[in-house]
Amino acid sequence: MPVEAMIEDLMDWFWNLALFSLPLVGYSLFSKLFGSTEKIHGIYTKPEWNFILKKWYAFLCLTRRKRKILDKFSNNIFASIEEEAVENPQHLPHEESIDSRSFIGCDVKGNAVWLKIVRKNHRSAEIWIHLHLSNGAIYQLLFHPHTLTRSDTSDTWSGGGLKFQICEPFMRWRITFNGLLRWKACSNPFELPGDISTKMLAEAVAREPWRSGDWLSMLDELGDGYEQWGMVFGTVETEEGNLHEIHMQSLNKHHWGLNPAVWQHRRITFNGVTKEGFMFSLTAVSSIEGVTHATFGHVRLPNGKQLPVNWCDLRLPDIAEHSKCIPDHYVFRFSVCLNYYSPAVSSLPKKLLNIWYDGDCPDFPVSLSDHLLEPEVEGSNMVVIFSDRECQSSTIVGGKGASLALLSSAACSQFQVPSGFCLTTHAFDYQLHCSPDLKNEINKLNDMSSECSPEELKTQCERISEVFEKTSICDEVRQEVLKVLSQFDVSVRYAVRSSAVGEDSEDLSAAGQNATFLGLMGESNILLAIQKCWGSLYMYQSVQYRRQNGQPINANMGVVVQQMIPADVAGVMFTCHPVTGNPKEVLITANYGLGESVVSASADPDTIILMRNGTDKLSLKSSVPGKKKHRIDMNDSTGGTVTTEISVDTLVNELCLSPDEAIALGKIGIQLESMFGSARDIEWAIYKGIIYILQARPVTALHSWSDFELLHELDSPVASEEEFFTTANLGEVFLEGTSPLSQSFVIPLLNNGMKKVMRSYYLDQLHLSHHHAFMNVLNVILREPEADISIANKATELAVFGHSIITPQMHRIAKERHGTPNITRLYDYIKRVVFNKWELKKALKLQDEFKLKAKHLNTLELYNKIRNDAFVLQEVIKCHSNTSQVSVISQIVSMIVLTERSKDISVDHASDISLFLSQCCDVLSAEIPVALKEIAYDILSTGRGDEFCSLPPPLAVEWLDLNSGKVRQKYNDFLLKHGHRSLQEFDLATETWSMRPLTIIETLQSIVKQGRETSKELNQKTTNAADVIRGLISVKQERTRKILSWLLPWCQKSVAIRETTKACVIKVLHQFRLAFRELGQLMVKESRLPDAELVFYMTFYELGYLLNTRDPVIVNKAVMRKRHFPKWSKLRFPEIISGLPVPVNENQHDFEHQLNDAVTVQGTPVTQGNACGRACVVPHLNQISQLQPGDILITQCTDIGWTPYFPLLAGVVTEIGGLISHGAVIAREYGLPCIVGVQNATKLFKTGDIVLLAATSGTLRKVAEGES
């Protein structure tokens, strides 16, 4: 290249560079000369001359930084151990570290709630409670704004009576205070700062001067954490005793890091919601040293997507920079993905606002009492006195002993604790070591406890207690007891009390389960009482208590020996109301003499209520004298106690406590509540004017689960007021209540599989409420709405519901939520159709290859095996969802073609559609009645059918072995092939046919009773496909018939494939059912459960938590759920539900006026033909025994569990269901007249009515006997 050309190219390059650089240099010089560096209000930095360049560079650096940081959260159904760790309280590494969690909720009616716990070091916490009701009422924490209190423990979210409890990580929380609230997630966590808009973070750091290369560290002050959208709902009881039910969209915020009081100048957060389900949270924060103006936020759209805010005009200097200029109204704008929003915010009443400003707190500082904290110590002593540090450990001396030792350390001039000592668990272990007979008997009890009868268990417990009493205390322990006892006054009387490990805790009181002996004197009596206390640990009632609460049979125990006070007055005090939980009320019960008469409820005590204000000043609110007809005192002559009547009327009718004594007791109670960090249940006594504290345990009733809570705890969130649910379609397989285990294991897997198929990754298709499952109409049926309600929508209605349900309101909301589909939908449908057979092959392969081997695994290994293999079930569900969608598409396309561009579906269209679909045969589940008929025919062929039918089912099985090996083999083959199926087969708690084979025997006996007619085949269709196409009365054009003849084979194959993949799902699901049953048996053997069936009444997360902790609360919840479940299962709901699901009142008398001879109802025909006969109304399969051959079945709906009874029927009528429902498919397969969608049919007809089923026209009519 010539030199001149090179110089010319070089000059062109410099010229282009100059053209690009000069504007930047000019902008920089202008900004430098005329730009202001003065800070707004002396705090907020203004953008400098190089702001744009810094912003671009910061954006690149932050983008690179984000790529290197791993996400804290995955999209797995079950949270990992690492994710659970993020949900739990975080470690506080520095003195100024904090860990904060809050729930902020509001609704469009004007209700708002703010609940917050800020954990700090030294087990202190800030508690915030604000409730604003739509009627203007405001409720706050008793001590507001002095909210510093003691945290109950270092690893829980609790303090001041407020408690946040994880029910399932990132899914469900429980909140208790003066009410019972639940929080349920409706979005994935929004990670902080990882998910914040990079653009907004870049703008924040670009405003600030960069004094070093580590300028990105300015963002570290923002801390770590996440925020997650959900719903808070439940009941709150206010001071007036009114119960308020609330249901609000809310935000769960978990932040940890440096205390904002150290670095933060100001922070403002706006949260807002709309009735459509749009939620937003926007925060502006200013640091004293670092970033002076950072703005960030996120939204949850009505379609479930969660996105970061990428622009906002919110400016901190313009909003309440000083506390005297808080605006009543403020408007700002923000954008999300080029969509702009402009909310108008009206502030709440000033007393509900909390705005942080730097500087000294104007309120006086709050001092905290010394915390009574159980130490982490080890010891080997067999006897310790209350003042020993070892005695403060519940693992060494048991719960009661540790509590008394802690109380002794807090004794002061206001109260005393009677002195005493404890025998440790080491003494108990040593006694067993020295007594081989005792140890053998206890081991025998442990081995037999999971399988023996109650009588055998009781006998063995009595034997152990006898051996304990007969076995003298070994010399080493005896000498230690006598040595310590010599240090005490031998002239006073003593109480000897059991102190088992784990008792007197917040979750497990064990009150009255083990022995207590009062008024003892002398060494021999005390030693004998110690033996009896040890023996009481294995009394039947104590062993049963541990079994019922999932605790080990082989427990450990300490024993408390304490000086008794000959009380003048004694009783119990609760530092909050034990029933309502009101922290403003201190309740005291009292009687003359020892407190035993109050604790045992053997006397009617005085009841005194003290009121407590925000500064802990007490006043007498009410006092009610009890009947106090007798008192218990120590027996000075013989030892023990004596009960005497109170004969003086003045003593009975007057209070046994003076007002001053009650106030003094209340002050002590408040002091102990502060020391322990939670409300206390305190036993006290007064003797010669001195107050003695005898016990202080947590108030266990405060956090107990109510019936209302148990009914609604697993409900799905309803994020929008405009939601619609249905019992159709899904109600066929989840007709009854769904077990908690299935709700937490099967339903999430179904949801996830459907999400992936429908490409709806943010919204659930299935909804839970009242322990029943529903389908979301907007997210399934109207997932892809057309511009107007189309014939495709109406065809879908007919297929799923059997009648029209889509309203203009539903359609409008669906369009606003999901938008109208584009051309990619057609491509997606074609792809599904093409790969439909591949989905079938994949499902069959997964079914054949999957083997969940549960044998030879311990409980935790089996649980983890189930957890890890759950993805197989999800993949099979995904295959079934794909094939189901293709089946629906094929039928909808056929319906659209058949209706020939008609805007509506007429009765003729419906009749033709049912005739057309009647050719869709070869359904796998239809093999069941055929197989049963063959077995019944073989039984009849023996000539001894009557004998078979006369036997009870267990003997009928033996009859098969003795009289027909061939029939028995067919019966075994049937169970091998179909034994995993049953009614409610998607529920893990269901016992399938192979588990309860006698149900099949009962069905066979019913079929055989029909006699020789059983040998006939079910009414098979004699018309071929061509005849059916020619017989369509609504089709006008010949080309339509030709197209339908092409579509028919596709429909036939699609239905068959769908039913086959469903069978694959059920077969894989059955392996998990068997694994859970095995897990239940193992947990019983390990004394973790009293009943193996309880595994089905826990959530999947609760099962894992129980295996790691033995939490008795979970076992008790499962027992209560099991007790209530039959009642919950009977709840019935409308076919279409708007808003929150509410059960319907199904009183039969509401329909009695319609029960006359002229009843005629209309449904949707799914087959052709007529039938006249006896009606058999069977609301539930357990009432099927009233069915007779030739009956017309009238029921709510059917699933595979009803299939064996189809050979007995003349026709089928269901209240819910459409053209693709189970009953419709099987009825078409065998030519049974069938109509669906007949509302209230089970109420309008009764068993024994003679009815005419005209399936062709879709009617069911009651007729007089003899009419045909």
Side-chain angles (χ1 to χ4, degrees):
M1 178 183 291
V3 176
E4 294 81 2
M6 292 179 62
I7 294 174
E8 185 176 350
D9 289 344
L10 188 61
M11 292 300 294
D12 287 341
W13 185 82
F14 276 114
W15 175 249
N16 291 330
L17 180 63
L19 288 175
F20 176 76
S21 304
L22 282 174
L24 291 177
V25 174
Y27 165 78
S28 300
L29 290 173
F30 180 83
S31 300
K32 187 74 173 177
L33 294 173
F34 300 102
S36 173
T37 59
E38 190 175 321
K39 292 186 176 183
I40 303 173
H41 299 306
I43 295 292
Y44 306 102
T45 305
K46 291 183 178 180
E48 298 177 335
W49 62 273
N50 55 354
F51 173 74
I52 294 179
L53 294 176
K54 291 170 66 179
K55 175 182 169 183
W56 289 348
Y57 182 65
F59 182 86
L60 293 173
C61 293
L62 285 168
T63 302
R64 191 181 307 116
R65 181 186 185 183
K66 280 189 175 183
R67 289 172 183 165
K68 296 178 181 179
I69 300 176
L70 297 176
D71 290 339
K72 295 188 186 77
F73 312 105
S74 65
N75 291 321
N76 296 329
I77 295 176
F78 309 117
S80 65
I81 296 175
E82 293 75 18
E83 290 173 327
E84 288 185 31
V86 174
E87 190 82 313
N88 289 322
Q90 301 297 299
H91 173 61
L92 304 177
H94 308 295
E95 186 66 25
E96 297 297 339
S97 298
I98 61 101
D99 184 16
S100 165
R101 182 175 294 279
S102 57
F103 295 89
I104 304 171
C106 56
D107 61 23
V108 296
K109 299 174 184 176
N111 297 303
V113 65
W114 181 24
L115 306 164
K116 184 176 182 180
I117 296 178
V118 182
R119 295 176 54 254
K120 298 184 176 183
N121 274 295
H122 311 296
R123 286 179 66 168
S124 61
E126 286 184 29
I127 312 297
W128 295 80
I129 299 178
H130 292 291
L131 175 65
H132 178 261
L133 299 179
S134 57
N135 60 10
I138 295 175
Y139 302 92
Q140 295 180 316
L141 190 66
L142 173 64
F143 311 109
H144 184 82
H146 313 302
T147 60
L148 190 64
T149 185
R150 285 294 183 191
S151 177
D152 293 4
T153 62
S154 60
D155 58 352
T156 60
W157 296 99
S158 59
L162 178 64
K163 185 173 183 178
F164 300 158
Q165 181 181 357
I166 301 174
C167 295
E168 187 171 351
F170 303 105
M171 288 296 295
R172 294 183 299 117
W173 281 77
R174 183 178 187 243
I175 304 164
T176 55
F177 187 67
N178 270 26
L180 301 166
L181 297 177
R182 296 169 309 286
W183 181 88
K184 189 72 181 281
C186 65
S187 75
N188 290 325
F190 184 87
E191 185 181 342
L192 299 175
D195 290 336
I196 296 176
S197 166
T198 305
K199 175 177 173 289
M200 297 192 77
L201 288 177
E203 289 180 355
V205 296
R207 295 170 64 103
E208 310 302 328
W210 294 356
R211 298 185 178 90
S212 70
D214 192 22
W215 48 271
L216 278 178
S217 62
M218 286 188 288
L219 295 174
D220 294 341
E221 287 181 334
L222 298 179
D224 211 343
Y226 65 90
E227 298 179 356
Q228 189 176 16
W229 291 106
M231 304 297 298
V232 60
F233 50 104
T235 56
V236 174
E237 185 173 352
T238 55
E239 296 175 0
E240 300 82 9
N242 299 324
L243 201 63
H244 299 269
E245 190 169 336
I246 64 174
H247 192 277
M248 305 179 191
Q249 292 106 323
S250 65
L251 189 63
N252 174 6
K253 305 174 71 170
H254 186 194
H255 298 168
W256 61 88
L258 192 63
N259 192 338
V262 176
W263 62 270
Q264 186 172 283
H265 168 60
R266 291 185 60 214
R267 176 188 292 263
I268 293 180
T269 298
F270 291 103
N271 294 328
V273 301
T274 69
K275 66 177 183 179
E276 295 83 11
F278 179 86
M279 311 176 192
F280 74 86
S281 177
L282 201 62
T283 298
V285 62
S286 172
S287 169
I288 299 172
E289 298 289 341
V291 175
T292 61
H293 197 292
T295 308
F296 55 88
H298 54 98
V299 302
R300 187 225 182 238
L301 302 179
N303 64 5
K305 288 184 180 179
Q306 184 171 254
L307 299 169
V309 173
N310 48 37
W311 174 83
C312 180
D313 65 358
L314 185 64
R315 297 183 72 252
L316 272 176
D318 299 340
I319 312 172
E321 179 60 27
H322 304 288
S323 58
K324 295 181 180 179
C325 56
I326 299 173
D328 294 324
H329 189 76
Y330 188 77
V331 179
F332 58 92
R333 294 187 305 155
F334 63 89
S335 72
V336 178
C337 295
L338 301 180
N339 293 312
Y340 287 82
Y341 304 89
S342 183
V345 180
S346 297
S347 67
L348 294 169
K350 296 296 188 291
K351 68 179 293 188
L352 192 52
L353 283 176
N354 289 275
I355 300 178
W356 173 267
Y357 299 93
D358 62 327
D360 295 330
C361 177
D363 298 297
F364 59 85
V366 179
S367 60
L368 294 178
S369 304
D370 292 336
H371 202 181
L372 293 179
L373 180 64
E374 185 176 316
E376 295 182 3
V377 296
E378 295 181 357
S380 57
N381 292 319
M382 289 188 283
V383 181
V384 290
I385 60 175
F386 286 172
S387 59
D388 289 339
R389 186 170 171 78
E390 285 179 52
C391 199
Q392 297 179 6
S393 171
S394 61
T395 59
I396 295 176
V397 298
K400 189 181 275 90
S403 174
L404 285 168
L406 288 170
L407 280 172
S408 297
S409 68
C412 57
S413 59
Q414 283 77 33
F415 70 91
Q416 295 182 21
V417 178
S419 58
F421 60 91
C422 292
L423 278 77
T424 67
T425 55
H426 303 298
F428 182 75
D429 291 338
Y430 192 78
Q431 176 74 9
L432 295 182
H433 174 73
C434 296
S435 309
D437 291 344
L438 264 176
K439 204 165 188 178
N440 292 335
E441 293 294 341
I442 292 173
N443 290 337
K444 183 178 179 181
L445 174 68
N446 194 55
D447 294 338
M448 65 183 290
S449 62
S450 62
E451 298 176 354
C452 67
S453 67
E455 292 75 17
E456 293 172 328
L457 182 68
K458 188 173 183 179
T459 301
Q460 181 63 19
C461 290
E462 290 173 350
R463 183 180 298 116
I464 294 174
S465 296
E466 290 175 5
V467 175
F468 259 112
E469 289 189 32
K470 293 178 180 178
T471 304
S472 301
I473 297 178
C474 59
D475 291 338
E476 290 83 351
V477 177
R478 176 189 294 271
Q479 293 303 320
E480 288 291 326
V481 171
L482 296 178
K483 178 181 176 182
V484 174
L485 193 57
S486 65
Q487 303 173 22
F488 292 85
D489 187 354
V490 294
S491 64
V492 301
R493 298 189 180 278
Y494 288 86
V496 178
R497 305 176 188 270
S498 305
S499 178
V501 174
E503 74 173 22
D504 279 355
S505 65
E506 187 173 326
D507 297 329
L508 195 70
S509 68
Q513 299 304 316
N514 301 313
T516 293
F517 302 93
L518 304 177
L520 301 177
M521 286 188 68
E523 297 173 351
S524 59
N525 289 329
I526 292 174
L527 290 171
L528 180 60
I530 291 172
Q531 289 176 232
K532 291 182 177 180
C533 281
W534 280 340
S536 70
L537 185 63
Y538 289 96
M539 288 193 305
Y540 179 69
Q541 66 178 35
S542 182
V543 170
Q544 275 292 78
Y545 182 83
R546 291 198 295 279
R547 290 182 71 237
Q548 293 299 323
N549 287 278
Q551 303 305 301
I553 300 298
N554 280 351
N556 217 327
M557 174 183 276
V559 177
V560 175
V561 180
Q562 186 180 24
Q563 292 183 0
M564 284 196 69
I565 303 300
D568 300 319
V569 181
V572 177
M573 171 172 55
F574 297 91
T575 59
C576 69
H577 200 289
V579 178
T580 66
N582 190 347
K584 292 185 177 181
E585 296 182 346
V586 177
L587 187 144
I588 302 173
T589 56
N591 191 19
Y592 298 107
L594 301 177
E596 187 67 18
S597 64
V598 179
V599 175
S600 63
S602 60
D604 181 20
D606 297 337
T607 302
I608 301 171
I609 297 180
L610 305 177
M611 283 302 292
R612 170 183 181 184
N613 66 11
T615 58
D616 278 340
K617 289 185 178 179
L618 294 169
S619 60
L620 186 64
K621 178 183 179 181
S622 66
S623 58
V624 179
K627 294 182 179 179
K628 304 187 298 292
K629 291 185 177 180
H630 64 266
R631 59 184 289 171
I632 298 176
D633 295 285
M634 285 189 285
N635 191 328
D636 293 331
S637 58
T638 61
T641 60
V642 60
T643 301
T644 57
E645 290 189 5
I646 301 175
S647 57
V648 182
D649 290 341
T650 55
L651 294 178
V652 173
N653 298 326
E654 293 180 357
L655 295 174
C656 58
L657 270 182
S658 68
D660 290 341
E661 288 174 328
I663 296 293
L665 274 172
K667 289 180 178 179
I668 293 171
I670 291 172
Q671 179 184 351
L672 292 177
E673 179 184 89
S674 176
M675 288 180 170
F676 280 101
S678 62
R680 294 284 111 178
D681 170 0
I682 300 169
E683 294 181 24
W684 56 270
I686 298 178
Y687 177 59
K688 294 183 178 180
I690 299 175
I691 296 176
Y692 293 88
I693 301 301
L694 310 178
Q695 189 59 266
R697 61 176 70 87
V699 181
T700 55
L702 286 182
H703 304 293
S704 58
W705 288 76
S706 68
D707 291 352
F708 177 87
E709 221 183 345
L710 291 170
L711 177 61
H712 293 285
E713 62 171 323
L714 300 180
D715 288 4
S716 300
V718 181
S720 166
E721 294 184 9
E722 301 177 325
E723 287 289 1
F724 295 90
F725 306 102
T726 181
T727 56
N729 190 261
L730 187 69
E732 296 177 23
V733 291
F734 289 108
L735 176 61
E736 302 294 322
T738 306
S739 66
L741 181 60
S742 299
Q743 291 180 60
S744 60
F745 187 81
V746 178
I747 295 293
L749 291 172
L750 286 170
N751 252 326
N752 230 35
M754 293 174 68
K755 283 180 183 180
K756 293 183 178 182
V757 171
M758 302 185 73
R759 301 185 184 280
S760 175
Y761 302 106
Y762 313 103
L763 293 173
D764 286 342
Q765 281 72 37
L766 307 183
H767 181 86
L768 294 169
S769 182
H770 298 75
H771 298 281
H772 285 250
F774 307 88
M775 185 168 64
N776 190 303
V777 176
L778 299 180
N779 298 342
V780 179
I781 307 301
L782 289 172
R783 174 67 184 86
E784 296 175 328
E786 305 285 350
D788 299 302
I789 299 178
S790 64
I791 192 67
N793 295 136
K794 295 178 180 180
T796 304
E797 289 177 311
L798 196 63
V800 176
F801 301 94
H803 58 92
S804 177
I805 61 100
I806 298 175
T807 64
Q809 180 193 16
M810 287 184 188
H811 191 260
R812 173 187 59 79
I813 297 170
K815 285 197 300 181
E816 293 173 355
R817 177 179 297 183
H818 304 296
T820 53
N822 52 35
I823 193 64
T824 59
R825 179 184 65 165
L826 180 59
Y827 165 76
D828 189 53
Y829 286 170
I830 294 173
K831 186 175 70 171
R832 292 185 193 283
V833 171
V834 170
F835 287 98
N836 198 35
K837 287 186 178 180
W838 184 85
E839 295 287 350
L840 172 62
K841 291 180 181 178
K842 180 181 177 183
L844 289 171
K845 182 179 179 182
L846 288 168
Q847 168 201 277
D848 294 339
E849 294 181 353
F850 180 62
K851 297 291 184 292
L852 205 169
K853 298 179 180 178
K855 299 296 182 181
H856 311 300
L857 297 176
N858 63 33
T859 50
L860 200 54
E861 290 171 341
L862 180 52
Y863 177 83
N864 289 328
K865 175 71 173 172
I866 293 171
R867 179 191 179 110
N868 295 334
D869 287 353
F871 79 95
V872 178
L873 180 57
Q874 180 176 295
E875 287 301 307
V876 182
I877 289 171
K878 182 180 173 183
C879 294
H880 176 58
S881 298
N882 270 309
T883 60
S884 295
Q885 196 168 46
V886 171
S887 175
V888 172
I889 291 170
S890 70
Q891 295 182 25
I892 289 175
V893 170
S894 300
M895 293 181 205
I896 294 172
V897 171
L898 188 147
T899 53
E900 297 178 317
R901 297 184 180 180
S902 173
K903 293 184 178 180
D904 290 302
I905 298 178
S906 65
V907 176
D908 287 343
H909 287 144
S911 179
D912 281 353
I913 290 168
S914 65
L915 180 61
F916 178 82
L917 294 179
S918 68
Q919 296 300 301
C920 298
C921 54
D922 192 23
V923 180
L924 184 62
S925 57
E927 296 178 3
I928 293 170
V930 173
L932 290 175
K933 272 195 161 268
E934 289 180 358
I935 297 173
Y937 172 72
D938 288 342
I939 293 173
L940 282 167
S941 299
T942 64
R944 303 175 66 184
D946 293 339
E947 181 183 343
F948 172 76
C949 294
S950 65
L951 295 172
L955 296 179
V957 176
E958 297 179 8
W959 184 93
L960 292 178
D961 290 330
L962 296 174
N963 293 276
S964 179
K966 175 185 174 183
V967 176
R968 179 58 194 248
Q969 184 59 46
K970 284 190 175 182
Y971 171 74
N972 291 340
D973 292 342
F974 176 88
L975 290 179
L976 185 64
K977 185 173 184 180
H978 302 291
H980 59 283
R981 311 210 68 168
S982 66
L983 183 72
Q984 290 273 98
E985 58 187 353
F986 274 88
D987 197 317
L988 292 166
T990 298
E991 290 185 314
T992 62
W993 292 334
S994 60
M995 296 174 181
R996 299 185 64 185
L998 297 184
T999 57
I1000 299 300
I1001 294 294
E1002 292 169 355
T1003 305
L1004 286 171
Q1005 289 176 327
S1006 298
I1007 299 174
V1008 171
K1009 285 178 182 178
Q1010 296 178 79
R1012 281 289 169 183
E1013 295 180 3
T1014 309
S1015 62
K1016 299 177 182 178
E1017 292 295 324
L1018 286 169
N1019 301 324
Q1020 295 292 333
K1021 300 175 286 294
T1022 57
T1023 55
N1024 57 35
D1027 292 336
V1028 168
I1029 298 296
R1030 283 194 296 270
L1032 300 175
I1033 59 176
S1034 65
V1035 176
K1036 307 301 181 186
Q1037 302 178 32
E1038 190 59 33
R1039 65 176 182 179
T1040 302
R1041 298 182 191 275
K1042 185 174 289 188
I1043 295 172
L1044 289 173
S1045 66
W1046 295 338
L1047 291 174
L1048 183 55
W1050 176 36
C1051 289
Q1052 292 172 332
K1053 292 178 182 178
S1054 298
V1055 171
I1057 290 174
R1058 182 194 68 196
E1059 290 298 306
T1060 304
T1061 55
K1062 179 182 176 180
C1064 292
V1065 172
I1066 299 303
K1067 199 158 190 177
V1068 173
L1069 179 68
H1070 185 59
Q1071 293 197 52
F1072 285 95
R1073 176 184 290 114
L1074 296 176
F1076 278 116
R1077 289 190 174 274
E1078 177 68 19
L1079 180 61
Q1081 296 294 340
L1082 290 175
M1083 292 178 74
V1084 170
K1085 289 181 180 179
E1086 294 182 5
S1087 300
R1088 296 180 183 274
L1089 284 180
D1091 176 11
E1093 291 291 318
L1094 289 179
V1095 296
F1096 301 111
Y1097 298 93
M1098 303 180 198
T1099 67
F1100 185 64
Y1101 173 75
E1102 287 172 347
L1103 266 176
Y1105 191 78
L1106 181 63
L1107 290 174
N1108 286 290
T1109 64
R1110 286 188 180 268
D1111 187 351
V1113 174
I1114 293 177
V1115 180
N1116 289 328
K1117 278 174 64 180
V1119 171
M1120 289 188 288
R1121 286 171 181 157
K1122 184 179 181 182
R1123 185 171 64 247
H1124 289 299
F1125 201 77
K1127 179 176 64 178
W1128 295 339
S1129 291
K1130 293 177 182 177
L1131 297 176
R1132 292 293 176 264
F1133 297 84
E1135 184 183 26
I1136 301 297
I1137 303 164
S1138 175
L1140 295 172
V1142 178
V1144 296
N1145 185 0
E1146 287 198 325
N1147 291 330
Q1148 182 64 36
H1149 68 263
D1150 295 337
F1151 298 90
E1152 286 179 355
H1153 67 282
Q1154 303 179 47
L1155 296 176
N1156 52 58
D1157 294 336
V1159 176
T1160 301
V1161 292
Q1162 183 73 38
T1164 299
V1166 295
T1167 61
Q1168 301 287 306
N1170 300 324
C1172 184
R1174 174 180 177 268
C1176 184
V1177 180
V1178 185
H1180 190 274
L1181 189 58
N1182 60 17
Q1183 302 170 7
I1184 197 67
S1185 59
Q1186 59 186 309
L1187 185 69
Q1188 297 178 9
D1191 278 352
I1192 294 174
L1193 175 67
I1194 302 176
T1195 187
Q1196 188 174 10
C1197 66
T1198 67
D1199 71 353
I1200 190 72
W1202 296 78
T1203 306
Y1205 300 95
F1206 272 68
L1208 305 175
L1209 304 179
V1212 181
V1213 178
T1214 65
E1215 291 182 325
I1216 63 174
L1219 299 181
I1220 62 173
S1221 64
H1222 172 269
V1225 172
I1226 302 301
R1228 283 197 295 265
E1229 182 73 18
Y1230 294 107
L1232 289 175
C1234 177
I1235 61 175
V1236 297
V1238 185
Q1239 298 184 13
N1240 298 319
T1242 59
K1243 309 296 184 303
L1244 297 173
F1245 297 88
K1246 63 181 184 296
T1247 299
D1249 289 342
I1250 304 301
V1251 295
L1252 174 63
L1253 171 59
T1256 304
S1257 59
T1259 60
L1260 177 68
R1261 178 168 63 92
K1262 186 187 294 187
V1263 299
E1265 291 192 33
E1267 182 184 351
S1268 61

